[in-house]
Amino acid sequence: MTKQEQNQLSGVNIPDRTAIAKVLAVTNTGKLLNDLPVLSIYLEVQDPEVVPFNVNVKRAVNRLLIPRVGDLCRICYPPGYPEELLIQELL
């Protein structure tokens, strides 16, 4: 269970932060999830209210929407748990 799910179960409602992230690296893990490749995506998160930081996430990605190095994407993440981020869209 993620920290966000634990907070929701305990009645704590902390809104997610929205930010822009730059793709620094993309590697294929060699795994598939529902026929989608699982990628390791290394991002630099640029949130105007927080010092920029890097995070590595593994996500199943549609083959037509695989990000490339240098791409920008809009993300959201629970405060204090950037590894649980959600990539909302490529910009």
Side-chain angles (χ1 to χ4, degrees):
M1 181 178 300
T2 66
K3 288 290 184 182
Q4 186 175 19
E5 291 169 339
Q6 291 173 358
N7 287 341
Q8 288 173 346
L9 289 176
S10 66
V12 177
N13 188 12
I14 301 171
D16 286 345
R17 299 188 60 81
T18 302
I20 302 297
K22 181 178 181 181
V23 178
L24 300 178
V26 178
T27 55
N28 191 343
T29 65
K31 298 179 182 178
L32 294 176
L33 179 64
N34 295 330
D35 289 330
L36 298 175
V38 176
L39 304 177
S40 177
I41 306 170
Y42 191 59
L43 301 166
E44 178 185 72
V45 178
Q46 303 162 358
D47 186 335
E49 297 179 23
V50 179
V51 175
F53 60 91
N54 295 342
V55 64
N56 190 44
V57 296
K58 291 182 182 170
R59 298 290 182 266
V61 179
N62 182 314
R63 286 181 175 88
L64 300 176
L65 300 174
I66 293 176
R68 295 176 291 180
V69 172
D71 283 353
L72 296 177
C73 51
R74 180 173 290 114
I75 65 163
C76 67
Y77 65 95
Y81 306 101
E83 65 280 352
E84 296 178 16
L85 69 80
L86 170 68
I87 300 173
Q88 295 177 316
E89 67 177 323
L90 292 174
L91 302 176

